[in-house]
Amino acid sequence: YIEETEPMGTGGALVIHKDRILDHADCVLILHADVCSSFPLLDLLRFHVEHNADCTIMTTTVDPNSSHNFGCLVPDNQTNELIHYTERPLTYVNNYINCGIYAFSPNMFARLVTAKNESRNAHVNADIHNRLNLPKGTKDYLSLERDVFRVLAGKKAIYLFKLNPAKDFWDQIKTPASALLCSQKYLQHYRLHDLSIYNRGNKRADITEKNVLIDPRAEIDPTAKIGPNCIIGEGVRIGPGVRISNSIILDGVSIDASACVLNSIIGWNSIIGSWSRVEGTLEKSPEGTERISILGVGVTVYPEVMIRNCSVLPYNKIHENVINDTIL
């Protein structure tokens, strides 16, 4: 890994470490860490080469009412060239958005160096510096979105690869609940397009509903019921009468008889006692995010205890009911 020692924006580190990143490569793939996707990278690379692009941005469409939350792209519908870019516009521009997945040719890195020098001069202006909310003293800061894509739009440098919604998907991972949503999308995608991942798992049609992936080393009582949309990790032990739905159960978890887990993520080696209930309601919090329950590593939930819409930090022991709380 290459670690940033100070905030550099989405492009600063690419400039500082460009020689290490390129290392004689013909093309570099850049992926934001807070997105989930089917990642059709071979298709993206083919498109990038065919268009002789300096940069290719993967794009998809969203509801026009939510497009202002993203970087919005305006393509040339004939050539797929990017002709206009604006980051989180105040008014409607387009519902094509930036997916945060790019292909860069070596020439794009030279363009980044030029953009960085130009943006450094611009950021000397305190008003611009404050408007962009740049930390003070960030001499190596560079925003791909504001300093590069916006400037290069319409200059035959950047092209847009449009995601095919019939076979591919994309979403953000911004909240704990979105991790469950993304898990559902992966399970559904593999169900429709690549069953091999299910075939390697524990095939327990007698106890599972739609979109359930079970590690073959998990131990599950035949009277348990699992699904839809569940992932069961290695070494998980699930007792009789257990019910699990829309949840991720990580390696080494033990769930005792008649317990119930709904809309939750259960951390490694946690123990859920018999007749306990761990659930998220998916109700909206005051901040507008959906509520789920998350147990950190090594959490113990004692028998007959209910946890609802809670985040529990590692190695806690929960003896009593807890609702809408964070357990430190």
Side-chain angles (χ1 to χ4, degrees):
Y1 290 94
I2 299 173
E3 183 178 353
E4 288 187 0
T5 56
E6 63 178 17
M8 296 183 186
T10 50
L14 297 176
V15 176
I16 294 295
H17 301 289
K18 63 182 178 63
D19 293 334
R20 294 177 64 185
I21 294 170
L22 282 171
D23 193 23
H24 307 294
D26 295 325
C27 181
V28 175
L29 292 171
I30 298 170
L31 292 74
H32 286 207
D34 60 349
V35 300
C36 74
S37 174
S38 50
F39 294 110
L41 299 181
L42 290 178
D43 293 338
L44 173 68
L45 285 172
R46 278 191 288 267
F47 177 95
H48 182 72
V49 172
E50 289 169 359
H51 287 75
N52 193 29
D54 288 347
C55 167
T56 297
I57 301 175
M58 185 180 294
T59 181
T60 189
T61 55
V62 297
D63 187 309
N65 292 324
S66 65
S67 62
H68 65 278
N69 295 315
F70 303 90
C72 292
L73 316 169
V74 179
D76 182 315
N77 291 325
Q78 298 299 318
T79 65
N80 289 313
E81 182 192 356
L82 174 68
I83 58 176
H84 180 68
Y85 185 97
T86 182
E87 184 69 14
R88 299 185 181 182
L90 297 178
T91 59
Y92 178 75
V93 174
N94 204 326
N95 67 332
Y96 281 105
I97 65 162
N98 179 0
C99 290
I101 300 171
Y102 318 121
F104 279 13
S105 295
N107 190 51
M108 188 62 181
F109 285 83
R111 291 184 179 273
L112 294 184
V113 173
T114 301
K116 180 183 173 184
N117 292 333
E118 293 176 350
S119 67
R120 181 184 296 171
N121 293 332
H123 294 161
V124 170
N125 184 303
D127 291 337
I128 295 177
H129 197 281
N130 293 333
R131 179 164 54 84
L132 297 182
N133 294 317
L134 302 183
K136 295 184 182 300
T138 51
K139 60 182 176 58
D140 294 319
Y141 185 94
L142 180 70
S143 167
L144 288 178
E145 298 79 8
R146 292 186 175 93
D147 299 325
V148 182
F149 298 157
R150 183 180 59 82
V151 174
L152 293 179
K155 296 182 179 179
K156 301 190 183 304
I158 302 177
Y159 289 81
L160 304 181
F161 172 77
K162 298 174 182 176
L163 205 67
N164 180 358
K167 67 183 185 71
D168 292 304
F169 71 92
W170 176 91
D171 212 325
Q172 291 183 304
I173 309 174
K174 295 293 189 183
T175 65
S178 63
L180 286 182
L181 174 63
C182 290
S183 173
Q184 293 176 25
K185 292 193 173 187
Y186 277 113
L187 290 170
Q188 181 67 9
H189 175 78
Y190 287 120
R191 172 72 67 190
L192 295 176
H193 301 289
D194 183 7
L195 282 172
S196 63
I197 190 170
Y198 285 100
N199 293 335
R200 292 195 298 269
N202 187 340
K203 304 183 213 29
R204 295 294 303 272
D206 56 321
I207 62 168
T208 60
E209 296 181 7
K210 184 179 178 183
N211 295 346
V212 173
L213 182 62
I214 302 174
D215 188 280
R217 289 154 292 193
E219 299 176 11
I220 304 176
D221 188 275
T223 63
K225 192 68 175 179
I226 301 173
N229 302 316
C230 291
I231 297 177
I232 308 298
E234 177 183 349
V236 171
R237 296 187 302 276
I238 297 177
V242 168
R243 180 71 173 101
I244 305 173
S245 175
N246 192 34
S247 296
I248 300 172
I249 314 298
L250 297 175
D251 298 353
V253 169
S254 178
I255 304 178
D256 293 341
S258 301
C260 182
V261 180
L262 308 174
N263 304 317
S264 299
I265 301 173
I266 309 301
W268 300 270
N269 302 316
S270 292
I271 299 172
I272 299 178
S274 59
W275 292 99
S276 289
R277 184 180 184 94
V278 180
E279 67 175 3
T281 60
L282 298 181
E283 297 170 344
K284 292 288 186 180
S285 71
E287 296 77 27
T289 59
E290 293 179 318
R291 297 180 186 270
I292 66 170
S293 282
I294 303 175
L295 306 189
V297 61
V299 170
T300 299
V301 180
Y302 279 71
E304 301 182 25
V305 168
M306 181 179 71
I307 297 176
R308 176 181 292 168
N309 299 333
C310 292
S311 295
V312 183
L313 271 63
Y315 304 110
N316 271 290
K317 299 183 185 297
I318 309 301
H319 301 264
E320 58 188 10
N321 297 344
V322 188
I323 298 175
N324 297 335
D325 203 355
T326 299
I327 309 301
L328 302 178

Short mmCIF file of all heavy atoms in Angstrom, two decimals, residues 2-32:
data_model
loop_
_atom_site.label_atom_id
_atom_site.label_comp_id
_atom_site.label_asym_id
_atom_site.label_seq_id
_atom_site.Cartn_x
_atom_site.Cartn_y
_atom_site.Cartn_z
N ILE A 2 0.36 2.31 -0.59
CA ILE A 2 0.98 3.63 -0.52
C ILE A 2 0.08 4.49 0.36
O ILE A 2 -1.10 4.65 0.09
CB ILE A 2 1.12 4.27 -1.91
CG1 ILE A 2 2.01 3.39 -2.81
CG2 ILE A 2 1.69 5.67 -1.81
CD1 ILE A 2 2.05 3.86 -4.24
N GLU A 3 0.65 5.02 1.42
CA GLU A 3 -0.15 5.76 2.40
C GLU A 3 0.00 7.26 2.21
O GLU A 3 1.11 7.77 2.04
CB GLU A 3 0.29 5.37 3.81
CG GLU A 3 -0.55 6.03 4.90
CD GLU A 3 -0.12 5.58 6.29
OE1 GLU A 3 0.73 4.68 6.38
OE2 GLU A 3 -0.64 6.15 7.26
N GLU A 4 -1.13 7.97 2.23
CA GLU A 4 -1.10 9.43 2.22
C GLU A 4 -0.76 9.93 3.62
O GLU A 4 -1.38 9.54 4.59
CB GLU A 4 -2.46 9.99 1.81
CG GLU A 4 -2.80 9.82 0.34
CD GLU A 4 -4.08 10.56 -0.02
OE1 GLU A 4 -4.68 11.19 0.88
OE2 GLU A 4 -4.49 10.49 -1.18
N THR A 5 0.21 10.83 3.70
CA THR A 5 0.56 11.41 5.00
C THR A 5 -0.20 12.69 5.28
O THR A 5 -0.19 13.20 6.40
CB THR A 5 2.08 11.70 5.06
OG1 THR A 5 2.43 12.55 3.97
CG2 THR A 5 2.87 10.39 4.96
N GLU A 6 -0.84 13.24 4.26
CA GLU A 6 -1.71 14.41 4.42
C GLU A 6 -2.79 14.33 3.36
O GLU A 6 -2.63 13.63 2.36
CB GLU A 6 -0.92 15.71 4.28
CG GLU A 6 -0.32 15.92 2.90
CD GLU A 6 0.42 17.24 2.77
OE1 GLU A 6 0.74 17.86 3.79
OE2 GLU A 6 0.67 17.65 1.62
N PRO A 7 -3.95 15.00 3.56
CA PRO A 7 -5.02 14.94 2.56
C PRO A 7 -4.56 15.48 1.21
O PRO A 7 -4.03 16.58 1.12
CB PRO A 7 -6.12 15.82 3.16
CG PRO A 7 -5.81 15.88 4.62
CD PRO A 7 -4.32 15.82 4.73
N MET A 8 -4.74 14.68 0.16
CA MET A 8 -4.30 15.07 -1.18
C MET A 8 -5.43 15.07 -2.19
O MET A 8 -5.19 15.23 -3.38
CB MET A 8 -3.20 14.12 -1.68
CG MET A 8 -1.93 14.14 -0.87
SD MET A 8 -0.68 13.05 -1.60
CE MET A 8 0.62 13.14 -0.38
N GLY A 9 -6.67 14.88 -1.73
CA GLY A 9 -7.77 14.82 -2.68
C GLY A 9 -7.77 13.51 -3.45
O GLY A 9 -7.01 12.58 -3.14
N THR A 10 -8.60 13.43 -4.46
CA THR A 10 -8.73 12.18 -5.22
C THR A 10 -7.64 12.01 -6.26
O THR A 10 -7.51 10.93 -6.85
CB THR A 10 -10.10 12.13 -5.91
OG1 THR A 10 -10.32 13.36 -6.62
CG2 THR A 10 -11.22 11.93 -4.90
N GLY A 11 -6.82 13.05 -6.48
CA GLY A 11 -5.80 12.94 -7.51
C GLY A 11 -4.38 13.23 -7.06
O GLY A 11 -3.43 12.88 -7.75
N GLY A 12 -4.20 13.85 -5.90
CA GLY A 12 -2.87 14.26 -5.47
C GLY A 12 -1.88 13.12 -5.35
O GLY A 12 -0.74 13.21 -5.81
N ALA A 13 -2.30 12.02 -4.73
CA ALA A 13 -1.40 10.88 -4.55
C ALA A 13 -1.05 10.23 -5.88
O ALA A 13 0.04 9.66 -6.03
CB ALA A 13 -2.04 9.86 -3.62
N LEU A 14 -1.95 10.30 -6.86
CA LEU A 14 -1.64 9.73 -8.18
C LEU A 14 -0.48 10.48 -8.83
O LEU A 14 0.33 9.87 -9.55
CB LEU A 14 -2.88 9.81 -9.08
CG LEU A 14 -4.10 9.01 -8.64
CD1 LEU A 14 -5.27 9.27 -9.57
CD2 LEU A 14 -3.78 7.52 -8.59
N VAL A 15 -0.40 11.78 -8.58
CA VAL A 15 0.71 12.56 -9.13
C VAL A 15 2.00 12.26 -8.37
O VAL A 15 3.05 11.99 -8.97
CB VAL A 15 0.39 14.07 -9.07
CG1 VAL A 15 1.59 14.89 -9.54
CG2 VAL A 15 -0.83 14.38 -9.91
N ILE A 16 1.96 12.30 -7.05
CA ILE A 16 3.15 12.10 -6.24
C ILE A 16 3.78 10.74 -6.51
O ILE A 16 5.01 10.60 -6.59
CB ILE A 16 2.79 12.23 -4.74
CG1 ILE A 16 2.35 13.66 -4.41
CG2 ILE A 16 3.98 11.82 -3.86
CD1 ILE A 16 3.43 14.69 -4.59
N HIS A 17 2.94 9.71 -6.69
CA HIS A 17 3.45 8.35 -6.82
C HIS A 17 3.27 7.80 -8.24
O HIS A 17 3.21 6.59 -8.44
CB HIS A 17 2.74 7.43 -5.83
CG HIS A 17 2.91 7.84 -4.39
ND1 HIS A 17 4.10 7.72 -3.72
CD2 HIS A 17 2.02 8.39 -3.52
CE1 HIS A 17 3.96 8.17 -2.48
NE2 HIS A 17 2.71 8.57 -2.33
N LYS A 18 3.21 8.69 -9.23
CA LYS A 18 2.89 8.24 -10.58
C LYS A 18 3.90 7.24 -11.13
O LYS A 18 3.53 6.30 -11.85
CB LYS A 18 2.74 9.43 -11.52
CG LYS A 18 3.99 10.27 -11.73
CD LYS A 18 3.69 11.45 -12.65
CE LYS A 18 4.92 12.34 -12.83
NZ LYS A 18 6.02 11.64 -13.50
N ASP A 19 5.19 7.41 -10.81
CA ASP A 19 6.20 6.50 -11.35
C ASP A 19 6.03 5.09 -10.78
O ASP A 19 6.17 4.10 -11.51
CB ASP A 19 7.60 7.03 -11.04
CG ASP A 19 7.90 8.32 -11.78
OD1 ASP A 19 7.30 8.53 -12.86
OD2 ASP A 19 8.71 9.13 -11.29
N ARG A 20 5.71 5.00 -9.51
CA ARG A 20 5.48 3.68 -8.90
C ARG A 20 4.20 3.05 -9.42
O ARG A 20 4.12 1.83 -9.60
CB ARG A 20 5.40 3.81 -7.38
CG ARG A 20 6.70 4.24 -6.72
CD ARG A 20 6.51 4.42 -5.22
NE ARG A 20 6.18 3.15 -4.56
CZ ARG A 20 5.87 3.07 -3.27
NH1 ARG A 20 5.83 4.17 -2.52
NH2 ARG A 20 5.59 1.90 -2.72
N ILE A 21 3.19 3.89 -9.66
CA ILE A 21 1.90 3.36 -10.13
C ILE A 21 2.01 2.88 -11.57
O ILE A 21 1.54 1.79 -11.92
CB ILE A 21 0.80 4.44 -9.99
CG1 ILE A 21 0.55 4.75 -8.52
CG2 ILE A 21 -0.49 3.98 -10.66
CD1 ILE A 21 -0.33 5.97 -8.29
N LEU A 22 2.65 3.66 -12.42
CA LEU A 22 2.75 3.30 -13.84
C LEU A 22 3.65 2.08 -14.03
O LEU A 22 3.21 1.04 -14.53
CB LEU A 22 3.26 4.48 -14.65
CG LEU A 22 2.22 5.56 -14.96
CD1 LEU A 22 2.89 6.79 -15.57
CD2 LEU A 22 1.16 5.02 -15.92
N ASP A 23 4.91 2.20 -13.63
CA ASP A 23 5.86 1.09 -13.70
C ASP A 23 5.74 0.33 -15.02
O ASP A 23 5.53 -0.89 -15.06
CB ASP A 23 5.62 0.12 -12.51
CG ASP A 23 6.77 -0.87 -12.36
OD1 ASP A 23 7.88 -0.57 -12.83
OD2 ASP A 23 6.53 -1.96 -11.79
N HIS A 24 5.82 1.06 -16.13
CA HIS A 24 5.77 0.52 -17.50
C HIS A 24 4.38 -0.01 -17.90
O HIS A 24 4.25 -0.73 -18.88
CB HIS A 24 6.81 -0.59 -17.69
CG HIS A 24 8.20 -0.18 -17.30
ND1 HIS A 24 8.91 0.79 -17.99
CD2 HIS A 24 9.00 -0.60 -16.29
CE1 HIS A 24 10.10 0.94 -17.42
NE2 HIS A 24 10.18 0.12 -16.38
N ALA A 25 3.35 0.33 -17.13
CA ALA A 25 2.00 -0.15 -17.48
C ALA A 25 1.45 0.62 -18.68
O ALA A 25 1.74 1.81 -18.86
CB ALA A 25 1.07 0.03 -16.28
N ASP A 26 0.66 -0.08 -19.50
CA ASP A 26 -0.02 0.57 -20.61
C ASP A 26 -1.31 1.24 -20.18
O ASP A 26 -1.83 2.13 -20.85
CB ASP A 26 -0.33 -0.45 -21.71
CG ASP A 26 0.93 -1.02 -22.34
OD1 ASP A 26 1.92 -0.27 -22.46
OD2 ASP A 26 0.94 -2.21 -22.68
N CYS A 27 -1.86 0.77 -19.06
CA CYS A 27 -3.13 1.30 -18.57
C CYS A 27 -3.21 1.04 -17.08
O CYS A 27 -2.70 0.02 -16.59
CB CYS A 27 -4.30 0.64 -19.30
SG CYS A 27 -5.92 1.23 -18.79
N VAL A 28 -3.83 1.95 -16.35
CA VAL A 28 -4.01 1.80 -14.91
C VAL A 28 -5.49 1.90 -14.60
O VAL A 28 -6.17 2.83 -15.06
CB VAL A 28 -3.23 2.89 -14.15
CG1 VAL A 28 -3.53 2.80 -12.65
CG2 VAL A 28 -1.73 2.76 -14.39
N LEU A 29 -5.99 0.96 -13.82
CA LEU A 29 -7.37 0.99 -13.34
C LEU A 29 -7.41 1.66 -11.98
O LEU A 29 -6.61 1.33 -11.10
CB LEU A 29 -7.95 -0.42 -13.26
CG LEU A 29 -8.17 -1.14 -14.58
CD1 LEU A 29 -8.53 -2.59 -14.33
CD2 LEU A 29 -9.25 -0.46 -15.40
N ILE A 30 -8.33 2.58 -11.80
CA ILE A 30 -8.48 3.31 -10.54
C ILE A 30 -9.91 3.12 -10.06
O ILE A 30 -10.87 3.43 -10.77
CB ILE A 30 -8.16 4.81 -10.74
CG1 ILE A 30 -6.70 4.97 -11.18
CG2 ILE A 30 -8.43 5.60 -9.46
CD1 ILE A 30 -6.34 6.35 -11.63
N LEU A 31 -10.06 2.60 -8.84
CA LEU A 31 -11.38 2.29 -8.29
C LEU A 31 -11.52 2.94 -6.93
O LEU A 31 -10.66 2.77 -6.05
CB LEU A 31 -11.58 0.78 -8.15
CG LEU A 31 -11.68 -0.07 -9.41
CD1 LEU A 31 -10.33 -0.24 -10.09
CD2 LEU A 31 -12.23 -1.45 -9.05
N HIS A 32 -12.59 3.68 -6.72
CA HIS A 32 -12.89 4.19 -5.39
C HIS A 32 -13.27 3.02 -4.48
O HIS A 32 -13.88 2.05 -4.93
CB HIS A 32 -14.04 5.20 -5.45
CG HIS A 32 -13.63 6.52 -6.03
ND1 HIS A 32 -14.25 7.70 -5.71
CD2 HIS A 32 -12.63 6.85 -6.90
CE1 HIS A 32 -13.68 8.70 -6.35
NE2 HIS A 32 -12.70 8.21 -7.09
#
